[in-house]
Amino acid sequence: MAMAIWDKFFGNWGRAGEQQFDFGGANGAVELTKRHPTFSLTKQGAVTGNLRVNLSWRMRTSDFAERPPIREGLRHPLRKFRPEMVQAQGPAFVNVDLDLACMYELKDGSKGVVQPLGSILGSLNSPPYVQLSGDDRFGSGSGETIYVNMDHRDEIKRLLIFVYIYDGTPAFDRTHAMVTLYPGNGPRIEIPLHERAPEARSCAVVMLENNKGEITLRREMKYVYGFQAELDRLYGWGLQWGRGYKTSKV
């Protein structure tokens, strides 16, 4: 009897520990952190419908007001990484164009990418069951959104959600960028991109994996100085990459 009570107590304690998250976001949102980097969509019962992944960003204009003046002769190791201020309508800010993208690998072995560059927007109701809403070049309130059709979760092996700076100053920590995932059930999941990574152009944000039927999210937050090809090598995707450009908007 004592052993049964002991097992029951610690079994329940362990299960409770699995459900501990950092509710550091607003209004009860879950924030994936270094301490608690994973979240099970299966255990949350959020594996049907569409998983919405949103990227939003803006420039923190107060950064410029608080910036100390640069004095001639000052030798600071990060001085060469200091973002330049661009003048535009309204308050001073740094011009930047962030892109939300996703590398996918399906159970049948097919691989690819969904991204604004090249207008590779994917498809929600046919492979890869991942679709990008469009390209936001100015950090508007709606940002950029990727939809994942979780009704086809059994056909998905892994998805890597990543963000890259297509144009502008390479300084993620100054963009106030946030990737937010909205499952079909349960709290939203927030991953801020606020770590200092001078000159980094891309960041692997979160990995969705299908491991023996359980769908989990894992915080990655790996900054690299290149673009998609470097992230590909880091995660062993094996795609062929070429240089691409966006068409100018009037």
Side-chain angles (χ1 to χ4, degrees), residues 25-36:
N27 300 320
V30 171
E31 182 177 335
L32 296 187
T33 64
K34 291 181 180 178
R35 184 181 177 187
H36 296 131

Side-chain angles (χ1 to χ4, degrees), residues 12 36 54 68 78 125 138 142 156 161 200-201 213:
N12 291 336
H36 296 131
N54 177 259
L78 297 180
N125 296 312
F138 307 106
S142 59
I156 297 172
I161 303 295
R201 305 295 308 198

Side-chain angles (χ1 to χ4, degrees), residues 41 45-52 150 182-186:
L41 293 177
V47 290
T48 58
N50 293 333
L51 169 66
R52 182 160 56 97
M150 298 301 292
Y182 298 87
N185 181 52

